[in-house]
Amino acid sequence: MFVLGIETSCDDTAAAVLLDGRIILSNLVSSQDDVHSPYGGVVPELASRQHVKNILPIVDQAIERAGIGLKDLGGFAVTYGPGLTGSLLVGLSFVKGASYRWGIPYVGVNHLEAHLLAIFLEREVPFPYIALLASGGHTLLYLVRDFSDYLYLGGTRDDAAGEAYDKVAKMMGLGYPGGRVIDQMAKDGDPRAIRFPRARMKSGSYDFSFSGIKTAVWHYLRTHGDAQKIDIAASFQEAVVDMLIAPTMRATKNLSVERVVLTGGVSANSRLRIKMMERAKELGVEAYFPSPALCTDNGAMIALAGHHLLKRGRKDALGLNADADLTL
Ligand code: KG4
Ligand code: ZN
């Protein structure tokens, strides 16, 4: 079955065609970074206007590159939450219209579920596994027991990990989004140059907190300036990476789970990948990472999650609404 996946929950317009829930025939993303960069963050109204401009060309290209026609599609899959309401509505309305016009079924997909399953686009992972979803909007830890069977373990109490990267990048005048730039700069810096604090939750909690590190960097910059940019970047990153790894590994140990899957934009981070691998090896846990293009928002993961829903016979009605606060 060919499924067309569409993602417009935040600032990327993405479309992909997936065959049989595994084979990516096309996977295109139109980024809006240039539009939002002057503001140091996503401007919701600008994001939805850009989606309106981008959606048709991106979908056309996804279908063309896949070498199929609309009539070959077994279904559409589209993100209906969580995310920015205006952005979600563009993708959802587009898919509803196409579904009605062409008589092809569609399903609404939970963006978080799609991230948790993205690894299956590249390899099989036996259930159960601990999934760490770290992106610009979310930092969440789940026990994934099966398709559609997710146990929430913890989440951030304030900023998401990617948000901390983006805010620190803004303070340092590095532009938006900041994750990739800081990752790159940190490669030349000393991660032990500055000892930024690590938030610790009481034992038994799998929560995260990134507002403290953000404030600590702000104080540092105010008192010392930013002459040592590479060391600040490396030291900040080391603290974030440590704070992501600690609850994740605690969960594998406490719940006796032997596999951990990382996902979301921040899991493209090179230091997180290296350190998580090392820690996992020490604990006899297997760590899995999707390729960076499948960690960040993409249409293929939406098509994948949609494929499983369609296979189970789900078909959404035209009354389905966008849900900005959708949970899993
Ligand atoms: O998953 P994603 O594409 O979008 C959502 O937020 O849903 O994640 C984007 C976030 C941004 O905050 C960006 O700065 C961060 O992921 N990011 C990174 C890296 N690449 C992207 N953070 C750290 N290191 C990276 N290499
Ligand atoms: Zn995302």
Side-chain angles (χ1 to χ4, degrees):
M1 175 170 60
F2 295 102
V3 175
L4 175 69
I6 294 180
E7 153 65 34
T8 65
S9 67
C10 190
D11 60 338
D12 290 323
T13 320
V17 175
L18 193 67
L19 172 60
D20 294 338
R22 267 181 314 118
I23 304 158
I24 301 174
L25 299 179
S26 61
N27 191 23
L28 298 159
V29 181
S30 170
S31 162
Q32 302 181 7
D33 288 352
D34 293 349
V35 174
H36 303 287
S37 181
Y39 305 95
V42 177
V43 183
E45 181 57 29
L46 293 180
S48 37
R49 288 181 199 199
Q50 281 301 119
H51 285 309
V52 171
K53 278 194 202 156
N54 296 341
I55 192 151
L56 193 53
I58 278 284
V59 168
D60 270 348
Q61 278 180 52
I63 291 177
E64 195 188 315
R65 285 215 195 155
I68 61 163
L70 258 179
K71 61 175 184 342
D72 300 318
L73 289 174
F76 294 108
V78 60
T79 309
Y80 78 105
L84 302 168
T85 304
S87 291
L88 290 164
L89 280 172
V90 178
L92 184 59
S93 310
F94 180 90
V95 166
K96 283 184 194 174
S99 166
Y100 182 73
R101 166 66 182 85
W102 299 100
I104 297 167
Y106 92 95
V107 285
V109 166
N110 183 319
H111 181 87
L112 306 176
E113 177 171 22
H115 270 304
L116 298 190
L117 300 178
I119 188 72
F120 288 103
L121 293 165
E122 292 178 313
R123 54 185 302 179
E124 293 291 318
V125 180
F127 296 112
Y129 58 82
I130 300 291
L132 170 65
L133 163 52
S135 69
H138 306 278
T139 303
L140 296 162
L141 201 62
Y142 282 93
L143 171 64
V144 180
R145 293 183 284 216
D146 204 338
F147 293 113
S148 297
D149 186 0
Y150 314 103
L151 178 70
Y152 173 84
L153 299 174
T156 184
R157 296 190 178 179
D158 36 62
D159 292 349
E163 195 180 349
Y165 266 98
D166 295 338
K167 286 179 178 167
V168 164
K170 190 176 177 182
M171 288 179 215
M172 291 169 70
L174 301 174
Y176 170 85
R180 215 174 313 145
V181 189
I182 290 184
D183 189 357
Q184 211 47 44
M185 281 183 87
K187 287 188 175 137
D188 301 316
D190 175 3
R192 279 178 292 239
I194 309 151
R195 177 75 195 171
F196 287 124
R198 273 84 168 146
R200 271 170 206 257
M201 300 297 151
K202 62 176 189 303
S203 68
S205 164
Y206 300 116
D207 283 347
F208 305 83
S209 168
F210 297 100
S211 66
I213 175 91
K214 185 186 64 186
T215 312
V217 174
W218 183 80
H219 275 297
Y220 185 90
L221 290 169
R222 217 173 50 136
T223 47
H224 298 82
D226 67 356
Q228 297 300 320
K229 270 198 170 76
I230 53 171
D231 288 340
I232 301 170
S235 302
F236 158 75
Q237 173 161 283
E238 199 69 6
V240 172
V241 165
D242 287 347
M243 288 189 282
L244 286 170
I245 292 177
T248 308
M249 288 324 210
R250 203 160 55 238
T252 61
K253 202 164 160 223
N254 293 350
L255 303 171
S256 307
V257 176
E258 290 162 4
R259 285 165 291 272
V260 55
V261 172
L262 270 72
T263 184
V266 178
S267 57
N269 184 265
S270 60
R271 183 69 184 143
L272 176 62
R273 288 178 171 238
I274 291 169
K275 224 171 166 179
M276 182 67 100
M277 280 294 189
E278 287 171 1
R279 192 80 188 102
K281 207 167 166 195
E282 279 165 27
L283 296 175
V285 169
E286 189 139 13
Y288 300 82
F289 303 85
S291 320
L294 298 174
C295 285
T296 50
D297 289 351
N298 65 87
M301 68 178 191
I302 305 301
L304 165 74
H307 173 92
H308 288 281
L309 297 173
L310 288 159
K311 229 175 53 180
R312 269 183 262 129
R314 203 175 102 188
K315 188 179 162 200
D316 282 322
L318 293 177
L320 181 72
N321 210 348
D323 185 348
D325 303 314
L326 185 67
T327 54
L328 200 56

